[in-house]
Amino acid sequence: MSATLLVLNEVGVAPGKADEVLARWSELNDKESLAGRALFRSAEDDNILEITPVKDYAKLDALSAGWRRLWDAVSADLVSDFRRQLLEFVEAPKDTADPLPLTPYVQLRYIEVKPTEYTAYREWRENTIFDVVRRAEPVTTFLAYHTLLSTQPGVMFVTGFDCEPEEYQKVFTSAEYQDIVQQAGDRFIVGGESGLYTRVYKRAGV
């Protein structure tokens, strides 16, 4: 079953340094007591993303201590500071038996919903977004979270897929889904369609 809480930890790495940073980061993670975390490399740039499932807030102290050690180990090879978010599980149109998707690829799909439209949005997405992903074979896992702590508050979909990104993306570039995106932008999203982003990552070591 998908994790109740997720911590996203993402950073930009200097060109040519991603493999070294991943190796040092993985070595540190092997020494930590928190299990289930996973490292990913962006399919679009030199960013590295760590996703950590957390059972309760008490585990955050251990994470914080690890972040200080991580800074000491990799900061010389970074081009940005770490960007961290704490997410809370809402629902799963396509759940996973594990805390995180075990697929080779994950995608983060983010939108900021207008507070006055949030209840209506929850009802709307059940018959639009969720209907599409439940029918879409390339989408292995589709989990809906909401940010608890973030400089970008809103809805975060954490999706997993096994196929190549080009095949997966066809689900979301179809005419049916593009109509859904337009509906969302017109009514629900802060800033219209500009208030959303999607990012694909490949699991490290795959």
Side-chain angles (χ1 to χ4, degrees):
M1 182 178 177
S2 48
T4 302
L5 298 171
L6 289 182
V7 176
L8 307 184
N9 189 18
E10 185 168 6
V11 73
V13 178
K17 294 292 186 177
D19 289 340
E20 292 180 41
V21 170
L22 275 170
R24 277 176 266 153
W25 199 331
S26 297
E27 184 178 357
L28 280 173
N29 282 355
D30 289 342
K31 298 176 183 178
E32 300 292 335
S33 59
L34 284 170
R37 58 176 54 177
L39 285 169
F40 300 86
R41 188 170 178 173
S42 171
E44 301 156 13
D45 52 35
D46 290 315
N47 281 20
I48 294 174
L49 169 70
E50 180 186 64
I51 306 179
T52 303
V54 180
K55 290 183 178 180
D56 57 62
Y57 297 104
K59 299 294 185 182
L60 296 178
D61 284 343
L63 273 181
S64 179
W67 290 335
R68 289 190 289 271
R69 291 188 288 271
L70 178 62
W71 175 267
D72 292 339
V74 304
S75 58
D77 293 320
L78 304 181
V79 296
S80 76
D81 206 338
F82 290 92
R83 291 168 171 81
R84 300 185 176 105
Q85 301 184 67
L86 178 63
L87 311 180
E88 183 177 40
F89 178 80
V90 178
E91 55 190 327
K94 280 191 174 180
D95 207 350
T96 172
D98 302 280
L100 295 179
L102 298 182
T103 50
Y105 294 96
V106 298
Q107 183 182 54
L108 301 182
R109 305 182 64 86
Y110 165 84
I111 62 172
E112 183 178 355
V113 177
K114 298 173 183 177
T116 54
E117 296 286 351
Y118 185 72
T119 300
Y121 165 77
R122 288 283 306 274
E123 296 175 357
W124 170 85
R125 76 183 186 184
E126 175 64 33
N127 297 314
T128 52
I129 298 172
F130 292 175
D131 179 57
V132 170
V133 299
R134 287 189 181 108
R135 291 186 279 113
E137 187 175 342
V139 181
T140 305
T141 306
F142 198 96
L143 312 174
Y145 284 83
H146 199 97
T147 55
L148 286 178
L149 293 173
S150 176
T151 56
Q152 289 187 308
V155 172
M156 182 72 80
F157 298 129
V158 180
T159 76
F161 58 100
D162 298 289
C163 59
E164 290 302 310
E166 294 77 13
E167 184 66 23
Y168 168 83
Q169 295 286 15
K170 290 178 183 178
V171 175
F172 303 100
T173 56
S174 67
E176 179 185 16
Y177 200 83
Q178 288 306 300
D179 178 61
I180 291 171
V181 171
Q182 184 172 346
Q183 291 178 47
D186 290 344
R187 180 177 175 186
F188 299 111
I189 301 176
V190 173
E193 292 182 30
S194 63
L196 60 85
Y197 69 73
T198 61
R199 296 175 184 161
V200 172
Y201 303 83
K202 187 173 184 180
R203 184 178 295 270
V206 174

